[in-house]
Amino acid sequence: IPPFLQDVFETESMYRSADPFQSLTINSMRDGEFLHWHFDNNDFATTLPLQSPEEGGDLEVVPALRDVDHGIENYDQVQQVLDEDPAFDHSRIIKVPTRAGSLSLLKGINSMHRVAPVKGSTRRLVAALQYDRKPNTSLSLEHNAKIYGDRLLKEYGGKM
């Protein structure tokens, strides 16, 4: 792992995700596609846009909305974000435009984030690398099937 990532994330231990489906992903999104608000299962992520859409596709982040290390889930504020509640301080949401070649670093396990709808005929292409503080971290096949579809269960016969 490059030492600068450990410095930025202020962690002494950092390992590339051992998950065969999560360690490196290329996300391709077309006109009208988006990702809902979510937290990552991995501790850290780096994203590198490879191609910008014509419009939209911004990464929207609420940094440090929760703190899993200290058991602070902050359910009330998470629900406010999901409900677009005016009581939530929307100035906390950082909008990161998808610009090809611009590296973003995210502590996705604690920072709620989404991708705004893509507009236009040019796809949004983003490479994402996932990292964890513990070595050999991987999601279950069943969990990955929820993300990538049941074909994984058929293809891997319930085993990875």
Side-chain angles (χ1 to χ4, degrees), residues 1-43:
I1 303 298
F4 90 91
L5 285 179
Q6 288 177 270
D7 291 343
V8 169
F9 288 120
E10 300 176 332
T11 185
E12 291 182 21
S13 61
M14 189 174 195
Y15 303 88
R16 189 166 165 235
S17 173
D19 192 296
F21 303 104
Q22 297 289 323
S23 60
L24 168 64
T25 57
I26 305 291
N27 299 304
S28 173
M29 299 173 77
R30 296 182 223 152
D31 184 55
E33 294 182 328
F34 61 94
L35 284 177
H36 292 282
W37 286 111
H38 67 282
F39 293 97
D40 291 342
N41 292 300
N42 303 92
D43 292 316

Side-chain angles (χ1 to χ4, degrees), residues 24 33 38 53 56-57 60 64 84 88 92-94 98 138 151 155:
L24 168 64
E33 294 182 328
H38 67 282
E60 298 180 0
E84 298 182 8
F88 181 77
R92 292 182 57 193
I93 300 173
I94 297 170
T98 301
S138 186
R151 70 183 187 281
E155 192 170 322

Side-chain angles (χ1 to χ4, degrees), residues 45-113:
T46 60
T47 63
L48 179 65
L50 306 173
Q51 178 173 280
S52 306
E54 291 169 31
E55 287 184 66
D58 293 347
L59 175 64
E60 298 180 0
V61 182
V62 184
L65 188 59
R66 68 179 186 180
D67 183 345
V68 295
D69 289 338
H70 296 98
I72 301 169
E73 292 293 340
N74 218 352
Y75 292 121
D76 291 343
Q77 287 192 22
V78 168
Q79 192 62 53
Q80 286 178 332
V81 172
L82 293 173
D83 293 341
E84 298 182 8
D85 189 330
F88 181 77
D89 179 7
H90 285 78
S91 69
R92 292 182 57 193
I93 300 173
I94 297 170
K95 295 184 180 186
V96 182
T98 301
R99 291 194 182 108
S102 61
L103 183 68
S104 293
L105 308 173
L106 179 67
K107 194 169 186 180
I109 198 164
N110 287 331
S111 299
M112 195 171 178
H113 53 286

Side-chain angles (χ1 to χ4, degrees), residues 140-159:
S140 69
L141 181 61
E142 291 76 19
H143 190 93
N144 274 312
K146 289 178 184 177
I147 299 169
Y148 300 108
D150 288 340
R151 70 183 187 281
L152 295 182
L153 295 174
K154 294 173 189 167
E155 192 170 322
Y156 288 89
K159 299 176 185 174

